[in-house]
Amino acid sequence: MAPKIIEYSFELPPLEELVKDTEGRPLFTQISHGLQAANQMTLWELYLRSGLPLPKGAILDAGCGDGLFFAIAPAMIFDGVKKREIGRRTVIGVDLDERKVRKARLVANLTTANYAARTRSEQRPEGFSLTYYVQDAQDLAKMDPMQMVIDGKQSRLQKMAMVWSNSMFHWVKEPRDKYAALARFYVMLNKGGVLCMSMSAGGTARDFLEAYNNVMHGLGTYNLAANHSGYRRAVFEPDPIGSRPLDELTNMVEESGFEVLMGVNLKEDVSYKHPLEYANAVRIYGMDAFLNPVSHLARSAQVRVWKSIEYEFMLRAANSGWRVGQPYRYSQFNSYIVAVKKELPEGSSAEEKLLQAIRGEALSAQIAAQPLM
């Protein structure tokens, strides 16, 4: 459910109507993806308000997940832009998770067919659609910014008009990996290219994080001889979501060659019918991260830990005033950034040197991964 603080200049159809499989079942619902859809809409609206034109090139969905942006992009691009033409762009997705890549490819194919069918007319019998590609699973901090890889086959990747990264960057935990990803975004973008990012800010999921911490500490620390069912301290994070302050993210972006035009923290309220609906949304996008400290356990044991977190979360919701039959009101805090690629001084070779360094790192990694003869 969309946050009320932003008035949108466009509308989305209900998520359940966007993409359906061959049996008519929706691939996205308000319960499973409503929170992410609200983030996407807010980020797009902030981009529109920035007034930045898009240069030539495709849109890179960096951290595309299971393809939600693919499903909503036609409505935002074709239906929501009244002041300027963005055009029939190509959208290229990249994500680290192979399972999500497979779903994103399915979503891309279905979205193309569904939106084209909805927009056919006598003047345009083929309808409208965007063009989608989803690269093979790869790490944003290590990808080759000049190559697109699909089903193991490489092709040259043209310069981008926009890098779109919604609710992903907080999952890139190490600062050096954040810088590495931003360096790749910079060299991938055309002159005047736009970077749109959102990520979790401090305060998000406070009740759920408290429940998670309480359950983990209740398990005790792992010890092979004395407590095999405990959590492993070396991989435990009090906040697995990875929320970071806006000023820290802004500094990173500007140090990486961008001019930040908009940077805001927003408190956004979302309502769920039940706290477990919210817990299910967390499960979809972050269960593995939350269970990382107990990843040594059998999957059935990990599921029991997750159920314990859900139960503890419900208790905390009740202590905060929630009652059965009432909606559960959740507040999330997100950072949003809209930035533009800075022009380097005429004659500067800084971008070329950066690209050479990035490709050198990629080549070194490939050599290191080869087995010794």
Side-chain angles (χ1 to χ4, degrees):
M1 299 172 187
K4 304 300 183 183
I5 196 168
I6 293 288
E7 293 294 332
Y8 300 116
S9 58
F10 57 91
E11 293 184 0
L12 293 185
L15 295 184
E16 291 78 3
E17 296 178 9
L18 285 174
V19 186
K20 297 181 179 180
D21 63 17
T22 54
E23 298 181 5
R25 295 171 299 194
L27 271 65
F28 303 109
T29 68
Q30 188 64 37
I31 293 174
S32 66
H33 288 78
L35 196 59
Q36 294 180 43
N39 300 151
Q40 302 260 15
M41 293 173 68
T42 298
L43 186 57
W44 188 256
E45 181 62 34
L46 292 174
Y47 160 66
L48 294 178
R49 295 185 186 190
S50 75
L52 287 170
L54 278 189
K56 293 180 180 180
I59 297 173
L60 179 75
D61 187 0
C64 65
D66 49 13
L68 178 62
F69 181 67
F70 299 166
I72 64 179
M76 294 194 300
I77 290 176
F78 294 134
D79 302 340
V81 182
K82 300 180 175 63
K83 295 182 179 179
R84 63 187 186 279
E85 179 62 32
I86 288 178
R88 301 178 68 176
R89 301 281 175 158
T90 295
V91 181
I92 300 172
V94 60
D95 199 275
L96 182 61
D97 190 321
E98 291 184 5
R99 294 170 300 174
K100 291 182 178 180
V101 164
R102 287 195 293 271
K103 183 176 177 182
R105 287 173 172 169
L106 174 63
V107 170
N109 292 334
L110 291 173
T111 299
T112 300
N114 293 352
Y115 198 80
R118 286 172 49 197
T119 55
R120 288 191 182 114
S121 64
E122 292 184 5
Q123 295 77 19
R124 192 181 291 272
E126 74 279 12
F128 287 96
S129 69
L130 300 169
T131 301
Y132 298 100
Y133 297 99
V134 184
Q135 296 204 62
D136 293 355
Q138 55 188 299
D139 190 334
L140 290 170
K142 298 176 182 177
M143 66 179 178
D144 188 332
M146 301 301 291
Q147 297 291 332
M148 182 162 65
V149 184
I150 298 178
D151 294 330
K153 298 179 180 178
Q154 290 189 348
S155 59
R156 185 166 179 79
L157 192 61
Q158 301 300 315
K159 289 281 190 177
M160 300 287 149
M162 172 185 282
V163 172
W164 177 268
S165 179
N166 181 73
S167 295
M168 180 283 299
F169 217 56
H170 48 266
W171 298 114
V172 182
K173 301 296 180 65
E174 294 294 331
R176 63 175 178 270
D177 290 336
K178 283 184 167 71
Y179 278 116
L182 288 167
R184 283 156 173 79
F185 297 163
Y186 182 86
V187 300
M188 294 173 82
L189 281 168
N190 237 326
K191 179 181 179 180
V194 178
L195 173 64
C196 294
M197 301 179 68
S198 73
M199 65 177 286
S200 177
T204 289
R206 183 179 290 112
D207 287 344
F208 197 87
L209 287 173
E210 289 179 356
Y212 155 77
N213 277 270
N214 194 47
V215 168
M216 286 295 167
H217 291 308
L219 294 174
T221 55
Y222 170 82
N223 183 287
L224 179 61
N227 187 16
H228 181 265
S229 299
Y231 74 93
R232 289 179 165 169
R233 284 182 291 185
V235 291
F236 172 75
E237 299 174 276
D239 179 6
I241 298 172
S243 306
R244 303 304 305 162
L246 175 61
D247 61 335
E248 180 179 302
L249 179 61
T250 300
N251 290 337
M252 280 187 167
V253 171
E254 292 191 329
E255 289 167 3
S256 299
F258 295 92
E259 180 183 357
V260 174
L261 301 183
M262 302 181 73
V264 296
N265 273 339
L266 294 179
K267 174 181 177 290
E268 301 164 334
D269 294 327
V270 183
S271 292
Y272 291 88
K273 293 179 181 177
H274 194 279
L276 288 182
E277 283 192 354
Y278 169 72
N280 186 56
V282 177
R283 180 188 62 80
I284 290 171
Y285 70 74
M287 181 177 178
D288 288 344
F290 277 88
L291 294 181
N292 192 37
V294 292
S295 59
H296 59 287
L297 301 179
R299 193 60 179 173
S300 59
Q302 293 182 46
V303 170
R304 288 195 294 272
V305 172
W306 183 259
K307 293 294 184 184
S308 297
I309 296 172
E310 289 182 333
Y311 179 74
E312 181 74 18
F313 171 58
M314 284 187 59
L315 291 179
R316 290 179 178 275
N319 289 336
S320 298
W322 172 78
R323 296 292 180 268
V324 175
Q326 297 178 349
Y328 171 67
R329 191 173 179 84
Y330 163 73
S331 294
Q332 66 168 351
F333 299 83
N334 274 297
S335 298
Y336 295 91
I337 282 182
V338 178
V340 63
K341 179 178 180 178
K342 285 182 181 178
E343 285 191 47
L344 294 174
E346 188 174 347
S348 172
S349 60
E351 184 170 346
E352 182 180 346
K353 290 179 179 178
L354 178 60
L355 177 58
Q356 290 174 353
I358 290 171
R359 303 205 75 185
E361 290 172 4
L363 179 59
S364 298
Q366 290 175 14
I367 294 173
Q370 292 176 359
L372 296 174
M373 300 300 292

